[in-house]
């Protein structure tokens, strides 16, 4: 974990050409190292000062601004220095090497945020929101990450924790006064408090699911026979001619990924090779890769030619026998412009079907509506970014709360109710990091950028 006496340093801006490059230091020796770098007194705290940066021989390496932030009023809660020199790989690495030479240690991925977390400047949700804000692929995701960074998600979780702690106090009181236990457990007050906590967790879960979709998006795979119009559909959804479209069967021989946003929902759209029996070795490899993508898809769009296929469900069963799930498969009846059928949304068996023309861009808006409905995506204005581990923690919280309810209603077992509520509080507290294993923290912060 942390080594409090170590001063860390890293390049905080992306490597490459640029007007400005920032090197960040944090730790007890940050000011001493910075003073040696500029060979003169530091500027006033929180006021940028123009300085030259020197090597060990007194030669000027670069010049720029230097900013100092004293503890505890800094991002990490330690003394922090930001050195703003010129951008560029060579000069930035030269400055970093000089700072390391003066006694700093190279920061690990996410170590600055890790120190901020350990020093109580941010909780775990806010720390994760920093990485999510950097990685945001849409404005909606960025706004949600900012809300999490500002503490909106943490506040919702802490409000539920307060209710849970209040409930635990009532149960513990019943246990501490056994002669009153029947009255405490049977008068309905504890049950009402428990129901309120379960409802509150459910509300946070619903918002978190929307936040998870904003962060992770949806993996949508387009599959079908050759010449069904898969590549045309990808181009229509992406709004650009991303995939090659020809009348020659087997044109697409590899998977093609395109990141798009539909009504605020980030989607990774994947076009695949046409599925058929073939002796072409290259095409066989493309089909193998297609099935690998199909296995991992959140949503599968099976495209077929409306003019040629009279039994699309039987055809889909041939290709996707193990994936025939109405919650995962949508039938796309393409090329309606060549028939008398107009674009529409209907059902075939238990499956939703969208009739469209990818080439003529007919029915695409209807497909977009169906995809977002399947994802259950309807973010509120106050949606916050969330991760799978958050949902997992809330799911375990609900399980423990349900166990507590059963012990209360069926058995009036105060001690067992209390234990289930303790476990629920423990699970919920994992979200903000109040209870977290060291290996979990290492995994989370290890996914951050160097310098963050």
């Amino acid at each position: 974990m942390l080594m409090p006496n170590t001063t860390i340093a890293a390049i905080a801006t992306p490597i490459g050409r640029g007007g400005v490059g920032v090197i960040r230091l944090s730790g007890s020796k940050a000011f001493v190292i910075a003073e040696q770098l500029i060979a003169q007194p530091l500027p006033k705290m929180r006021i940028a000062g123009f300085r030259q940066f020197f090597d060990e021989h007194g030669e000027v390496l670069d010049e720029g601004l230097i900013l100092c932030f004293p503890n505890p009023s800094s991002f990490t809660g330690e003394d922090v220095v930001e050195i703003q020199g010129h951008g560029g790989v060579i000069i930035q690495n030269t400055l970093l090497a000089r700072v390391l030479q003066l006694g700093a240690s190279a920061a690990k991925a996410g170590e600055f945020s890790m120190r901020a977390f350990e020093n109580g400047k941010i909780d775990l949700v806010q720390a994760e929101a920093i990485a999510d804000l950097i990685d945001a692929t849409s404005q909606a995701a960025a706004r949600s990450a900012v809300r999490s960074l500002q503490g909106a998600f943490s506040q919702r979780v802490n409000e539920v924790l307060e209710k849970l702690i209040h409930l635990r106090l009532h149960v513990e009181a019943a246990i501490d006064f056994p002669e009153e236990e029947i009255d405490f457990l049977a008068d309905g007050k504890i049950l009402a408090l428990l129901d309120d906590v379960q409802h509150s967790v459910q509300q946070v879960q619903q918002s978190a699911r929307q936040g998870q979709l904003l962060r992770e998006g949806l993996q949508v795979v387009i599959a079908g026979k050759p010449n069904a119009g898969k590549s045309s559909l990808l181009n229509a959804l992406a709004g650009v001619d991303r995939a090659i479209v020809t009348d020659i069967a087997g044109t697409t021989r590899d998977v093609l990924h395109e990141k798009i946003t539909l009504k605020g929902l980030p989607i990774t759209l994947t076009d695949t090779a046409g599925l058929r029996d073939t002796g072409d070795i290259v095409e066989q490899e493309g089909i193998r890769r297609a099935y690998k993508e199909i296995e991992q898809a959140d949503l599968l769009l099976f495209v077929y030619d409306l003019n040629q296929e009279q039994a699309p469900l039987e055809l889909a069963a041939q290709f996707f026998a193990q994936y025939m799930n109405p919650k995962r498969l949508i039938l796309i009846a393409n090329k309606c412009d060549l028939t008398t059928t107009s674009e529409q949304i209907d059902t075939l068996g238990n499956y939703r079907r969208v009739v469209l023309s990818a080439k003529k861009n007919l029915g695409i808006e209807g497909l977009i509506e169906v995809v977002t409905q399947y994802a259950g995506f309807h973010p509120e204005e106050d949606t916050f970014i969330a991760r799978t581990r958050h949902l997992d923690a809330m799911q375990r919280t609900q399980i423990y709360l349900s166990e507590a309810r059963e012990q209360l209603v069926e058995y009036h077992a105060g001690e067992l109710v209390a234990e289930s509520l303790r476990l629920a509080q423990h699970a919920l507290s994992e979200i903000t990091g109040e209870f977290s294993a060291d290996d979990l923290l290492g995994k989370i912060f290890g996914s951050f950028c160097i310098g963050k």
Side-chain angles (χ1 to χ4, degrees):
M1 298 294 287
L2 289 181
M3 298 178 62
N5 295 325
T6 301
T7 297
I8 56 174
I11 298 172
T13 44
I15 295 296
R17 295 184 63 193
V20 178
V22 177
I23 292 176
R24 174 182 285 172
L25 293 87
S26 180
S28 58
K29 296 181 179 179
F31 291 167
V32 174
I33 292 172
E35 203 163 36
Q36 291 176 308
L37 178 68
I38 63 177
Q40 60 178 296
L42 295 172
K44 293 181 179 180
M45 297 294 104
R46 302 183 180 280
I47 296 178
F50 180 78
R51 297 290 189 272
Q52 291 180 323
F53 313 131
F54 298 93
D55 65 12
E56 67 271 26
H57 305 297
E59 297 293 328
V60 176
L61 295 174
D62 194 12
E63 60 183 19
L65 299 179
I66 190 164
L67 273 161
C68 301
F69 304 90
N71 74 84
S73 302
S74 68
F75 172 68
T76 62
E78 303 173 331
D79 290 339
V80 171
V81 175
E82 288 193 358
I83 301 164
Q84 301 181 10
H86 291 93
V89 176
I90 299 301
I91 187 59
Q92 286 290 286
N93 283 331
T94 300
L95 284 174
L96 178 61
R98 175 58 177 156
V99 167
L100 298 179
Q101 184 185 45
L102 290 170
S105 299
K108 299 176 182 178
E111 192 169 358
F112 289 92
S113 297
M114 180 71 160
R115 292 192 176 202
F117 168 72
E118 291 287 348
N119 290 326
K121 303 298 293 185
I122 55 176
D123 62 29
L124 195 52
V125 169
Q126 291 172 299
E128 291 170 316
I130 296 171
D132 294 333
L133 180 59
I134 294 170
D135 295 335
T137 57
S138 68
Q139 289 185 353
R143 287 194 297 269
S144 294
V146 168
R147 280 191 284 271
S148 289
L149 179 57
Q150 292 176 332
F153 189 7
S154 303
Q155 182 179 351
R156 293 280 297 277
V157 172
N158 288 331
E159 288 172 355
V160 179
L161 278 170
E162 286 297 321
K163 291 183 178 181
L164 184 50
I165 292 170
H166 183 65
L167 171 59
R168 287 189 65 194
L169 289 176
H170 278 77
V171 174
E172 295 292 344
I175 296 172
D176 289 340
F177 299 97
E179 68 278 3
E180 301 291 341
E181 185 172 355
I182 299 299
D183 293 334
F184 268 101
L185 296 179
D187 66 0
K189 184 173 183 179
I190 289 179
L191 181 59
L193 291 173
L194 179 55
D195 287 342
D196 182 49
V197 171
Q198 286 186 292
H199 179 67
S200 297
V201 174
Q202 186 178 24
Q203 286 183 316
V204 178
Q205 273 182 305
Q206 291 173 352
S207 294
R209 287 193 186 98
Q210 299 302 310
Q212 182 193 34
L213 282 171
L214 275 175
R215 179 183 180 271
E216 300 179 2
L218 202 66
Q219 302 291 326
V220 179
V221 172
I222 303 172
K225 291 175 63 176
N227 277 355
K230 300 183 300 299
S231 296
S232 296
L233 181 59
L234 180 139
N235 290 341
L237 289 171
V240 294
D241 289 334
R242 184 71 173 81
I244 297 174
V245 177
T246 73
D247 293 330
I248 302 172
T251 299
T252 302
R253 296 192 171 199
D254 201 353
V255 295
L256 178 64
H257 299 288
E258 182 72 8
K259 291 187 178 297
I260 63 174
T261 301
L262 301 179
K263 292 191 173 182
L265 174 64
I267 288 178
T268 299
L269 197 60
T270 302
D271 185 19
T272 59
L275 305 177
R276 64 173 177 175
D277 293 328
T278 177
D280 189 312
I281 296 177
V282 177
E283 195 172 351
Q284 286 177 355
E285 175 61 20
I287 294 172
R288 186 192 69 80
R289 295 186 181 187
Y291 275 111
K292 184 177 180 181
E293 295 293 331
I294 290 168
E295 289 175 3
Q296 300 172 352
D298 295 316
L299 192 59
L300 179 60
L301 305 183
F302 172 55
V303 183
Y304 68 94
D305 189 335
L306 187 61
N307 304 280
Q308 298 181 9
E309 303 299 338
Q310 302 301 316
L313 279 178
E314 286 79 356
L315 181 63
Q318 293 177 25
F319 291 137
F320 319 115
Q322 64 271 48
Y323 311 114
M324 292 293 287
N325 185 338
K327 294 183 179 180
R328 191 166 178 258
L329 176 67
I330 298 176
L331 303 174
I332 308 297
N334 192 26
K335 304 184 182 181
C336 72
D337 57 306
L338 302 180
T339 71
T340 57
T341 305
S342 59
E343 66 272 18
Q344 59 183 286
I345 299 171
D346 58 14
T347 57
L348 195 60
N350 294 323
Y351 295 85
R352 182 68 69 89
R353 182 177 71 160
V354 181
V355 180
L356 53 77
S357 170
K359 184 177 180 179
K360 299 295 184 179
N361 207 38
L362 301 174
I364 298 301
E365 286 300 319
L367 174 59
I368 293 173
E369 186 66 30
V370 169
V371 169
T372 53
Q373 286 177 0
Y374 264 67
F377 184 68
H378 45 81
E380 306 91 351
E381 285 298 319
D382 60 347
T383 296
F384 41 75
I385 212 75
R387 299 187 172 204
T388 300
R389 78 167 191 89
H390 303 149
L391 291 174
D392 174 67
M394 282 185 277
Q395 181 62 34
R396 285 184 286 116
T397 301
Q398 287 284 41
I399 290 173
Y400 292 131
L401 291 175
S402 295
E403 291 177 356
R405 196 178 199 283
E406 181 182 7
Q407 297 296 343
L408 176 64
V409 174
E410 299 295 332
Y411 307 107
H412 297 282
E415 290 82 359
L416 296 179
V417 173
E419 176 61 12
S420 294
L421 294 179
R422 185 190 69 82
L423 293 173
Q425 182 183 348
H426 192 286
L428 194 59
S429 296
E430 289 179 9
I431 296 175
T432 56
E434 185 176 344
F435 296 106
S436 291
D438 289 351
D439 57 348
L440 172 63
L441 296 180
K443 184 175 181 180
I444 290 171
F445 287 101
S447 65
F448 279 41
C449 305
I450 301 294
K452 202 62 181 170

